[in-house]
Structure formats: C-alpha cells, structure tokens
Amino acid sequence: MNNLNLIFPEIFISLSLMTLLILGVFKKNSAALVYNLSIVTLLILLALIFNLTSANESYLFNQSYKIDALSTFMKMLTVGSGILVMFSSSKYLKFIKIFKIEYPILILSAILGMMVMISSNDLIVFYLGLEIQAMSLYVLTSFNRENIFSTESGIKFFVLSALSSGLLLYGCSLIYGFSGTTNFNLISENNLFEAKYGITFGIVFILVGLSFKISAVPFHMWAPDVYQGSPTSVTLFFAILPKIAALAVFIRFLYVPFVNLIDQWQPIIIFLSIASMVFGSVAAIGQKNLKRLAAYSSIGHMGYALAGLAVGTNTGIQSSIVYITIYAVMNVALFSCLLMMRRNEYYYENIEDLSGLSKNHPILSFSLLIILFSLAGIPPLAGFFAKFYIFLAVIEKSMYWLAIIGLLSTVVAAFYYLRIIKVIYFDQLKEKYDTNHQIGLKVTLLISTIFILLYFIYPSVLTNIVLGINII
Amino acid sequence: MINFPILSSIILLPSIGAFFIFFVKANKSKYQSNKYVALFISLANFLLSLYLWYIFDKTSTDFQFVENREWIPGLINYKVGVDGISILFIILTTFITPLCVISVNSTIENRLKDFLIAILLMETLMIGVFCSLDLIIFYLFFEGGLIPMFLIIGIWGGQRRVYSAFKFFLYTLLGSVLMLIAIISIYWMTGTTDVEKLYEIGLETKYQNLLWLAFFSSFAVKTPMWPVHTWLPDAHVEAPTAGSVLLAAILLKMAGYGFIRFSLGLFPSASDYFIPLIFLLSLIAIIYTSLVALMQEDMKKLIAYSSVAHMGFVTLGIFTMTQQGISGSIFQMISHGLVSAALFFSVGVIYERMHTRLINHYGGIVSVMPKYSIVLMIFVLGAIGLPGTSGFIGEFLILLSAFQKSFLVAAIASFGVILAAAYMLWLYKRVIFGKLINENLKNILDLKKSEIIILWSLAIPIIFFGFYPDPLISTTEVSINNLLKIYNSNLEVNLTNSSYE
C-alpha cells in the first residue's frame, strides 16, 4: 500500500479527469465550472507532488515506474506551468468561442500523459505516456475547428507525430530485440559496454522520435505551422509542457540504460544541439508572426537545453533542467503578453502590431522588454543565468566549439529579439489595445516577469533544488 | 563605519533612485520633480564617492572597502573593492552622471521619466564594472550596460538611431561572448573567478594567448580600437547628448580599465607577446582616425573619431608596461572623460538651438555667443593636449614611456598630437570665427544658467588637473606599482616555465 502513495498524484488526476468529464456531460453549460474545477485539480495535484519531494528514490510495478528527485521536480514544473497556462487563457478561449468542457479535460489528460512519461523507467510505459499526451495534443491543436489554420495544423501535427511515433516504436523494438528487455535498469545491467549495431540503431530511432517531440532540428518542420495555427493558449501549452516531459525522458533514456554508450549518442546530441541553436536563431530573423517566431526561438532554446545534455555529467543535466525551467517561465511571460494584444475582440499576433506599444501600454511593454532581453540572454536577467549554467557545464568538459557556436548564435538570436524591442519602443504609435484582461492573466505576467527580473538577486533558489538531481 | 558597505551603497543608490522614479505616477507636472529626484540621487552619490576618495588609503597596495559575499554558493562570490586605479573611474562616473541629468532639461522632450531611469541604471552598472573583483560579476555589469544604452540611443536618438543602436548592441555583444567563454574556462582551470586570487595563482602560459585574445575581442570593441571602431561614430552621432557623453566619458573607459586590470594582471606573458599587435593597432588608430577626423563635416562625428585617436594613446600607454605609461593612460582616460564629455555637451548646446551638427552651417559664433566661445576654447585646447590642460599630462607621460620602448612608435604617435591640433583648431576656427553668414545664427542665445553650470564644472577640473596633476597621479601610483610587480613576477614565472618546456 505504501507504494500507492507514490503514484497517488497520477491516480488523483485520472479520477478527477473522469469525474469532470462525467460532470461536464451531464450538467448543461458547465464549461466554466469544469474549467475552474480543473484548475483546482491542478493545484491539489501540485500539492500532492510537492508532498513527494521528501520521498526516497523508489520503483513501482517491477521497476517500470520511478519516483525520484528528477521526476518530482519535472512533474512539479509541468503541473506548475499547466496551472499558469490555465490561469491565463480562460478569457481568450471565451473570445474565440472555444470555451468548452473538453478543453480543460484534454489539458488534464495531456498532463497525465506527461507525468507518466516523466516517471517512466520502461520503454513501454514511456510509450504509453507519450501516446496519452500526443492524443490529447492532436485534438487541442485543432480545437478551434472553424478556423482553417487550426485544423490544418492539427492534421499536420497528427501525421508527422504519428510518423515519429512509428520510428520511436521501431527503435524500441530494436532495443528490445538486442537487449532482451524493455526496462531501463535491466538494459543497463545487460552488459552493454560493447555497442551492438542493433542497439545503436535503436538509440538513433528513439532519439529521432524524441527530437521530434522537442522540435530539435532537423525534426522541427511541424513546429512553426503548428505554433501559428493553434489557438494561442494551446501554443503556449505546446511551447512548454511537452518539452519539459520530453526533456525528462531524454535524460532518463540517455543516462540510465545507455550511459556506457555515451560515445555512440553524444555526437548525435551535439549535432542536434548545434543544428537547433544555429537554425533557430537564423530562421527566426525573417519572421513576421510572433507565434511563428516563438516557434523558431523555442527551437533555438531547445538547442541550448540539449547542449547541457550532450556534456555527459550531472552538472550538464542539472544545467539543462535549470534551462528548461527558466525557459518555461520566459515563455509563459511572453505568451501572456501575446494574450493581451486584443482590440475589439480580435487578437493580434504580428510583430508590427506591437508598433509603438510603449506609449500606450508602458507596463506591458516594459515587461516585454525584460522578457525579450532575457530570451536573448543578456545579463542580469534570468535568461542569462540559464545560458551561463549550460556553458559552465559545456566548458567543464572542454567542448569549446559547442560553446563558441552556441554563444555566437545567441548574438544572431539577439538580433531578432532586438527587432521586436525596436518595434515596441522606437516605432510609430498605433491604436490602443483593450486593457480589461482577466486577473489571472495579469497575475501570471506579473509573477513571471518579476521572476525573470529579480532572479539575479538570489540565483541559488533554483540551483539548490536542482543540485539534488543526480542521475549518474 | 568600518563595516558599512560603502561600495555597495554607491553601486545601488542610483538604481534605488531609478526604482523610486519608476513608481512615481507619470503626471505631466511631476516630470520636473522626477528630474530633481534623479539629480539629488546622483549628486548624493557623487558626494559619497568623494568621501570614499577621502578615506581611501593611497599608500596601501591592497584592495580597499572589500565586500565579499556568497552569491551562488560554491560558484560566484559577490566581491567588490577598489584600489587606486578603479577609484578614479568611479569618481569620474559619479561626476559625469549629475551633469547628464542636468542636461536633459531641454534635449529630451518626450519620456523624460524613462530617460532618467535609464541614466540612473546606467550609472549603477558602470560603477559596478569598476568595482567588481570577480570576473563573472564584472561580466554581468559590463554586459548589463548594453540594455539601457541600447534604449538611450534607440528611443531618444537622431534619424539613424535604429541602425546605430543595433550596431552598438551587436558589436559589443559579439565581442563579449568570447570573453564569457574565457571567463568560464578560467574558472575551470583554476577553480575561482576571484581576481585577487587569480593574481596570486597565475595562469598557465600555454592557455594565456587564447584567453588574452578572448578578452581582447571584448575590450577592443569597447575601446574602440581600429578596425572594430566603426560602431562608435554611428552611436555617438545618433545618441542624444547625454547618451554621447556617457558613451565617450565612461563606457569607453571600461575597456581601458579592463586592459589594465585583467589583460595585464591575469595574462602577463600573453600581454608581453601581443605588445607589437597593440602598438600597431594603436598607431593606426591614432594616425588613421585623426586623418578621418580632419575630413568630417559633422561635429559629433569629428569628436567621435578624435575619441578613437585618444583611446589609441591610452592603449599605447597601457602596453608600454611602465609606471609612467600606465599612469599616463589612466590620466589620459580621466582627462578624455572630462574633455570629450565637455565637447559633446558643447555640441549639444548649439545643436539644441540650431538643430544641425554640420560644421559649415556655423561660423562667426564668437560675436553672438562669447561665453560659449571661451569655454569651448578651453575644451578644444584640452583635446589638443596643450600644456596647462589635463590633456597634456596624459599624452606627455604616454609618449615619454613610449620613447623608452621604441623610438619609432613614439615618433609616429607624436605625429598624432599634431594632427589632433589640426582638426580641433580647424573645427574651432570654422565654428567660432569667420563671418556670420547664416541668418538664423544672429538670433542665437548665449549660454543658459544650467549650461554654464555644466560646462564650467567640466572646464575647472580640466585646467586644475593640468596644473596640479598630483591628486590623480598619487592616487594611482601605489596600485600601479603593485600591479606591475604582479605582472613582472608572473611574467618571470611564465617565462621560466616555458623555458623548461
């Protein structure tokens, strides 16, 4: 029975998810009720997971499910950003008329899938979680079904995601075939000091599938279209939560069963990292749509997170986790600003719509200023520290080229962030936007901006937690 | 009083002021009061830093008023402290900032509040650069300055402000990221980024050249040295007066300070190895940019190019590695800080009245603006380096030590002094003397009270330090000797090590 405590959060979210579904079906006009209840569910869930932080590292279900510092932290991060997403988007959903009961339920089920992914210690459990998550995301992407872009992006995402899932499954089967088990611990016990071709192929296929999920170059093609087409609140969800979950799986998958094969996978991760950093920063330069730009910028950011993983040390893993945390906060802040660009019931999402924003909305534009400089990684904002930890870990292992390419691409990336700041601060004034935003949105923006701005005062708040995560 | 964190107070006071201004509601009537708050804060900071100078012990070789706190446990300590080299730059910064605040009166019409916040934040960051005794803290302050400066140029600048702001930002960022890599590498080689400890430990010879180049890439852009100086004329021309002043008077000095503190102290054998490179680039800067300055039509651009030439003297002096040379360089930086600030303020004065910076739009001003012509004369002579102005002492010391190193270098550099006289006097002649042709000029008003305050408070130290340089020289003397001692002993260790290999 003691063991069940450890997956109580998962049980709780599954049960409340089903209850809410039944409630929504049988009670008419209950969209708002279900929405609020699911926020409450997430808050309780956060408390439940927090309760587990003191738990020792332990396994469940024949070692196929693992609760440790990594999984608790990543779950809290997932649920926490989920709460912020829900907080900030209810009014948006009402305005574009997709405020329906399915929406919060799909979000909850996606979060459930991610929690399973994060804790998985077995290829099958991992795949199970991945599919729960992906199914919910397909529907969420095309949730605005009367909008042609939304449906298009749903189809696109579905087709490509299914393809990548197929590759991933193929990789799983190869690994199973050559090692005789799907369990991460057992794979690592099965003496894998000598690389077998089948294992290497398996790793490659699984990495391809995972890179697709975090949109690392060259498996990023879906990201810009899906980001642009989906409803903004879903894009926000997309930009953060699946990446946190996938990164956790990356860590677990690379460093538990295949840590001895680091020679095999390290070049792949380095390649993915460099390609994402360079491509993410160069391709974003020409973008006009903010959501599309956010897609390219998140591709670049994933490159940095992968650079931390490529190092092969605990410091590297920890730096990646710090990176993804700060990345999550920055994206919440950025998208909250996007959700505020509403005028006469229409949401604007082009860069030039921000023109002269600083005169009408000084506080909003000041927040954007901080967020964008932070995304560009300029000290003393949080984004700088995120990059700093990554490069600290990278240079420890003397991977100078990775560091130099990474830092040079931050300079390129700085250009397009500056361009947005230029539009906000230097360009001609346009009409005012509406200011009657919901409180949740304002609070979300406030919290995240203050976090970014004042992170430098006490940077160890995050690092101290992350230092407890030792995988190797 | 001993435990009072005076340095942190000097660093933080301006940002507290900025914070205060940020939260005061932006009514039209309150704009003036915002300005008084900013002025009060920056003057208080100036007095505080003068007090710091007063209680500073000139005879000690150690860093003083050191504050050392754990910031990121096991990784970075917040460590600040001053020695004879940095204290002068702190005073320069706190001296120039109130003048900038006074000057915004008429030049900045819109968004005065934001401008004041930007200037005060800039002050915090600039003082932080000169105080920090930890490489990462230094980097934070050094880079953080980009944000307010980018906004100052971009929001309140001239016509090509966007281009200039981007160029300034990207050039500097590109130079600095390599420095960040070098800093992190130093951390992993030695386990610390504390400057004092690094002076003791010394770095291995074989890595020094690369690390030196990484730091150099950042400082060379900021100095600016030829051929990466091109951002400076653009940034200067487009920035508002206060922005140009901050750029010329203080931001450029960060790099010179960085050369002295880090390049010399941390990488002695590399500094020794790269002396010819620095000399070459400095000489090109002195001669080439002086010639370019001669051809300028735009007053601000002319002064900007003259800044590059003057900074060429500074780098030349630093890398002579002699007591006189470094002392002269520091003196030259302080003097150039005063003179270039004064020149930019002066250009601001007539630009505000005529809205043109082109030299040929002026002429014969002396008959309508006599007060202005007198102060400008002092500044022009200061820029030339006439004996009796502060400009002379610095250049003289630098050339003196350059002669010890190489006759040829010194001879070419001296040629730069002549060129400086040529372009500055020609500028003065074309603007002030001659016939008053432009009709609009006839109604031009002479200096206002606030302008008199600004310009004379710059003119007095320029003359004072020209006649009596001792306060500056004696402050730096012990620290420079100490630095050279560290330099020479580390150099010796490095040379013996490499001969073993």
Side-chain angles (χ1 to χ4, degrees), chain B residues 223-235:
Chain B
T223 308
M225 295 182 86
W226 184 87
V228 283
H229 66 283
T230 55
W231 63 270
L232 184 82
D234 284 313

Side-chain angles (χ1 to χ4, degrees), chain A residues 58-75:
Chain A
S58 39
Y59 294 98
L60 291 166
F61 311 122
N62 284 333
Q63 299 202 348
S64 62
Y65 207 75
K66 189 174 185 182
I67 307 293
D68 60 354
L70 174 73
S71 72
T72 341
F73 181 78
M74 292 305 241
K75 279 180 194 169

Side-chain angles (χ1 to χ4, degrees), chain B residues 296-307:
Chain B
Q296 294 308 315
E297 297 290 318
D298 183 317
M299 281 189 269
K300 266 189 161 180
K301 225 169 193 166
L302 191 151
I303 302 168
Y305 277 110
S306 84
S307 286

Side-chain angles (χ1 to χ4, degrees), chain B residues 145-363:
Chain B
L146 289 181
I147 300 176
M149 204 61 214
F150 174 75
L151 294 175
I152 288 176
I153 299 175
I155 299 179
W156 296 279
Q159 278 170 351
R160 287 171 74 236
R161 61 209 159 100
V162 175
Y163 171 79
S164 310
F166 271 69
K167 200 169 177 184
F168 162 75
F169 194 98
L170 295 176
Y171 256 69
T172 325
L173 186 65
L174 188 63
S176 308
V177 289
L178 294 176
M179 182 165 78
L180 180 62
I181 295 180
I183 290 174
I184 297 177
S185 313
I186 291 175
Y187 174 76
W188 287 117
M189 280 172 204
T190 60
T192 181
T193 48
D194 183 327
V195 176
E196 262 184 302
K197 277 186 199 153
L198 286 172
Y199 279 166
E200 279 168 32
I201 301 170
L203 293 159
E204 278 184 65
T205 322
K206 53 183 173 181
Y207 302 121
Q208 279 194 17
N209 284 3
L210 278 175
L211 293 174
W212 188 93
L213 280 174
F215 274 73
F216 173 75
S217 71
S218 171
F219 296 149
V221 171
K222 204 93 176 186
T223 308
M225 295 182 86
W226 184 87
V228 283
H229 66 283
T230 55
W231 63 270
L232 184 82
D234 284 313
H236 267 322
V237 169
E238 298 306 326
T241 305
S244 303
V245 169
L246 284 181
L247 256 178
I250 304 157
L251 257 87
L252 303 190
K253 279 33 176 205
M254 288 178 180
Y257 171 78
F259 273 128
I260 298 176
R261 171 79 76 228
F262 302 115
S263 299
L264 256 57
L266 299 180
F267 321 118
S269 77
S271 299
D272 192 54
Y273 179 77
F274 284 111
I275 286 177
L277 174 75
I278 294 277
F279 278 9
L280 181 69
L281 293 181
S282 305
L283 287 181
I284 295 177
I286 293 170
I287 301 299
Y288 168 74
T289 51
S290 299
L291 289 172
V292 175
L294 265 175
M295 297 310 298
Q296 294 308 315
E297 297 290 318
D298 183 317
M299 281 189 269
K300 266 189 161 180
K301 225 169 193 166
L302 191 151
I303 302 168
Y305 277 110
S306 84
S307 286
V308 181
H310 281 122
M311 291 310 285
F313 276 105
V314 170
T315 43
L316 185 68
I318 293 170
F319 281 85
T320 57
M321 317 288 187
T322 56
Q323 158 77 33
Q324 284 156 344
I326 297 174
S327 171
S329 293
I330 293 172
F331 202 95
Q332 168 83 345
M333 281 195 266
I334 301 292
S335 154
H336 177 254
L338 298 170
V339 171
S340 64
L343 286 170
F344 278 117
F345 276 129
S346 314
V347 174
V349 166
I350 47 176
Y351 177 73
E352 210 178 284
R353 289 164 171 72
M354 301 299 296
H355 294 284
T356 173
R357 289 184 303 259
L358 294 182
I359 297 171
N360 56 13
H361 286 189
Y362 294 94

